[in-house]
Amino acid sequence: MKHAQVLGTFPAGSPRGSWPAEELAARLRSQGRAAEVVMDLATDAFLVVVRGSAEVVHVDAVEATPAQEQFTAAS
């Protein structure tokens, strides 16, 4: 992956697993964003990302929970 904007992070060890990440990605896709869920093995977390995005997307616009973070990652 070249560049991706991370719109949410969810611990892999949570009781619901990847469901919260999948729900956020589905809400973003319903708004026309190309969001997908990936696993970050280094942090043991599910990430909701938009690949190659230079656009700033505020997670608040999709009714995010306070535990979600927004930052840009390059790998």
Side-chain angles (χ1 to χ4, degrees):
M1 181 185 321
K2 293 181 182 178
H3 293 287
Q5 182 174 22
V6 178
L7 303 177
T9 63
F10 301 87
S14 76
R16 295 185 63 214
S18 68
W19 289 4
E22 295 291 350
E23 290 167 351
L24 175 59
R27 284 195 305 269
L28 289 165
R29 285 191 296 269
S30 74
Q31 295 177 358
R33 310 233 184 249
E36 61 184 291
V37 177
V38 297
M39 178 70 182
D40 181 8
L41 296 175
T43 62
D44 194 32
F46 293 104
L47 308 178
V48 178
V49 301
V50 177
R51 293 181 192 258
S53 176
E55 175 185 5
V56 175
V57 178
H58 295 283
V59 176
D60 296 338
V62 290
E63 303 169 10
T65 62
Q68 296 168 347
E69 300 175 8
Q70 178 179 344
F71 58 93
T72 304
S75 38

